[in-house]
Amino acid sequence: MNQSNSTEEKLAILEKRLNQTIQSRKQLEDEYQHDWTHFSNMLTQLSYACGGLDQNLDNALTKLRGLLQRNSGMELLKPVMTESEAHIQSVANQVQRNLKDAHEVTFATLNWLLKQPNLSKSARSELQRIIELSQSQHVSIMHYMPLMITLLNYCQRLGSDIVSAPEQQSQAHQKIVLKLITQLEFNGSTEQQLNLIARKLKGKLDNTELLSVLVNLLETIIDGVSLERQSAQNFLLEISQTLGVVQGTLNQSVNERGHYESENSSLNEQLQSNVDRLNASVQSAQHLETLKQEVASHLCQLNETLKEKLALEEHERQHFERTTAKLSSKLTHFEQQVHHYKQKLAEQKFKSLQDSLTKLPNRAALEERMRVEEQRFKRTKEPVSIAVLDIDFFKRINDNFGHSAGDKTLQVIASMLRKAVNESDFVCRYGGEEFVVLFPNTPIADAQARLEKACERIRNIPFKFRSEDIRITISVGIAELQQVNQSLTSLFETADNALYEAKKTGRNKIVLASAVSN
């Protein structure tokens, strides 16, 4: 008797310890789930904060959010997190480069304003303060944007100085603003309004009219940016709502799955109990008749339990099919939304890398291509040549025949350059009347031969302005990348120096960088 009591006491102690262990484990699991949820929410918010900077980064962050919302394990999260980190680093580097370039241009603009003779003493003093502010700021968005706002407010207050500026200075401002407008890329009504403003700027405006057009330009840009931002916000809101519905459906499915598993486990235990009782009856039966009755009773119970189990499984299957159909519908809608927005982003990126007048790639596209070719040169050591071209006396065409004649000239020469070089060569409009041609896997002698053919064709184009025949020529500087430690940016400067030599020594010629060095 004492031994039995002792055994029961030991069992009670073990049961108590087991319950304590279970409670401790449940507490740890609850704490882990709480920490994971907090971490997942923070990552999700950070991913939304990084949205819109880069298409590849957005794709990686979307995959990361999807995995986080599905409570995926680290074996699925790690590769996506690694991919996201790589894109974030790339975007961060690009943002820093853009901020640095913008800061340098801003500082140059401030110094240019400071040199203007018509500034009043107070305006000059305020401008000096802004310059000191720009020198003390770090190159970051949080510091750079207030500086830009201050500079824009200052420029607005200089409206009276613009109105009183001489007409020649006003026309110079028109050309500068017109050149800047060609670098803006918007769609729809904003694009139409910018085209209308550009047409006005090509005409002759007095100072009051120019100021009005500039104000209209600022309003148009602000409206365009607001529309783009609103479109992006609406898209993100739709995506968030869709993901919320999907997450809710998945959570509900998980909860109901747990309920089904609990009921199924109970039915399995009941079946096992019925089988055990049936076995016990068979083993303990004394009479055949009694055994028949007991077996019949047990089989009836087993049949009822099996019917319940089959009904539960059928109900679970139907629920699974309904949930799957609902999720499939939502995800199809989600894919359509993402596809539509990806198309819009691709169109915007294409426009941002294209010169709107000549339809050639622009300066931003050239910088991207130069990075690619520079890396390829380091791997393959294949020759790369670059040429900088400038239309001779282009200003005379604008001054004598108007900007429309100048635009037509640029378009014709752009088309001729594309046709004169190889398909693999990269032709772009660098800015104004300047073009750049990048020759991958091409030594300088071959690049020179192609450009001589292009120059000859351009010289033979029968330009006609106001019944007057005009012969147009171009000057060219060429350089070849030969050293692994040399960058294409420095090579561009070398070709640009060769172009300067061509213009200085008579124009209408091609000068090799090696000849300038010698």
Side-chain angles (χ1 to χ4, degrees), residues 448-496:
Q448 181 183 8
R450 293 175 206 169
L451 287 170
E452 284 175 347
K453 181 173 66 172
C455 291
E456 181 64 24
R457 289 186 178 182
I458 290 171
R459 278 193 292 268
N460 293 327
I461 297 174
F463 285 99
K464 200 175 189 67
F465 303 125
R466 297 178 190 168
S467 301
E468 184 178 344
D469 291 330
I470 301 293
R471 296 297 171 184
I472 292 177
T473 61
I474 59 174
S475 299
V476 185
I478 318 178
E480 180 183 343
L481 190 61
Q482 296 176 332
Q483 301 176 3
V484 176
N485 59 354
Q486 185 181 15
S487 68
L488 272 174
T489 301
S490 63
L491 187 70
F492 172 86
E493 294 174 358
T494 303
D496 197 41

Side-chain angles (χ1 to χ4, degrees), residues 405-518:
D407 290 349
K408 185 63 178 176
T409 302
L410 290 170
Q411 291 170 336
V412 171
I413 290 181
S415 176
M416 186 59 67
L417 283 174
R418 264 199 306 255
K419 295 174 182 176
V421 298
N422 290 354
E423 187 176 348
S424 59
D425 299 333
F426 184 83
V427 184
C428 84
R429 183 187 178 194
Y430 191 75
E433 67 272 21
E434 205 167 55
F435 297 85
V436 175
V437 184
L438 197 59
F439 298 91
N441 304 325
T442 305
I444 194 169
D446 292 347
Q448 181 183 8
R450 293 175 206 169
L451 287 170
E452 284 175 347
K453 181 173 66 172
C455 291
E456 181 64 24
R457 289 186 178 182
I458 290 171
R459 278 193 292 268
N460 293 327
I461 297 174
F463 285 99
K464 200 175 189 67
F465 303 125
R466 297 178 190 168
S467 301
E468 184 178 344
D469 291 330
I470 301 293
R471 296 297 171 184
I472 292 177
T473 61
I474 59 174
S475 299
V476 185
I478 318 178
E480 180 183 343
L481 190 61
Q482 296 176 332
Q483 301 176 3
V484 176
N485 59 354
Q486 185 181 15
S487 68
L488 272 174
T489 301
S490 63
L491 187 70
F492 172 86
E493 294 174 358
T494 303
D496 197 41
N497 290 335
L499 169 65
Y500 175 76
E501 184 68 19
K503 297 182 79 68
K504 187 174 70 171
T505 57
R507 294 182 169 85
N508 187 23
K509 62 171 64 176
I510 298 175
V511 172
L512 305 185
S514 56
V516 177
S517 321
N518 294 334

Side-chain angles (χ1 to χ4, degrees), residues 8-21:
E8 290 177 356
E9 289 174 357
K10 290 180 179 179
L11 288 173
I13 293 172
L14 288 174
E15 182 179 5
K16 181 177 180 182
R17 290 179 179 176
L18 179 60
N19 289 335
Q20 289 175 345
T21 302

Side-chain angles (χ1 to χ4, degrees), residues 110 113-114 119-120 122-130 148-159 161:
L110 289 169
L113 284 171
L114 192 62
L119 287 179
S120 64
S122 59
R124 191 175 298 278
S125 174
E126 184 179 1
L127 183 59
Q128 187 63 50
R129 184 185 63 81
I130 296 175
M148 290 302 299
I149 292 171
T150 303
L151 178 57
L152 287 173
N153 289 334
Y154 173 81
C155 290
Q156 278 188 321
R157 289 193 294 272
L158 285 180
D161 292 339

Side-chain angles (χ1 to χ4, degrees), residues 98-253:
N98 291 343
L99 281 174
K100 184 175 181 295
D101 292 343
H103 192 271
E104 290 174 355
V105 172
T106 301
F107 189 70
T109 303
L110 289 169
N111 281 311
W112 177 82
L113 284 171
L114 192 62
K115 295 175 183 177
Q116 300 310 304
N118 295 332
L119 287 179
S120 64
K121 184 177 180 180
S122 59
R124 191 175 298 278
S125 174
E126 184 179 1
L127 183 59
Q128 187 63 50
R129 184 185 63 81
I130 296 175
I131 292 175
E132 293 172 357
L133 185 65
S134 71
Q135 290 174 328
S136 64
Q137 300 289 11
H138 299 289
V139 182
S140 66
I141 293 176
M142 295 300 294
H143 293 93
Y144 182 70
M145 293 311 294
L147 173 63
M148 290 302 299
I149 292 171
T150 303
L151 178 57
L152 287 173
N153 289 334
Y154 173 81
C155 290
Q156 278 188 321
R157 289 193 294 272
L158 285 180
S160 59
D161 292 339
I162 295 175
V163 171
S164 61
E167 184 177 349
Q168 185 177 1
Q169 188 176 2
S170 175
Q171 291 177 353
H173 290 155
Q174 283 182 233
K175 294 178 182 179
I176 293 172
V177 175
L178 187 60
K179 182 178 178 181
L180 292 174
I181 287 178
T182 61
Q183 300 177 24
L184 297 175
E185 294 294 343
F186 287 98
N187 295 320
S189 60
T190 305
E191 182 181 17
Q192 295 173 1
Q193 186 65 24
L194 286 174
N195 290 336
L196 180 61
I197 292 173
R199 284 196 295 271
K200 290 181 179 178
L201 286 169
K202 289 178 181 179
K204 189 174 182 180
L205 301 175
D206 59 31
N207 293 327
T208 304
E209 291 171 334
L210 176 58
L211 182 59
S212 176
V213 169
L214 291 177
V215 172
N216 189 14
L217 175 60
L218 284 173
E219 292 174 345
T220 302
I221 293 173
I222 291 171
D223 290 342
V225 171
S226 298
L227 287 173
E228 292 288 340
R229 184 175 62 239
Q230 185 62 45
S231 174
Q233 288 175 344
N234 291 339
F235 171 74
L236 290 175
L237 180 61
E238 279 191 71
I239 295 300
S240 178
Q241 290 171 346
T242 302
L243 290 176
V245 172
V246 172
Q247 184 180 11
T249 303
L250 288 173
N251 290 339
Q252 182 182 359
S253 178

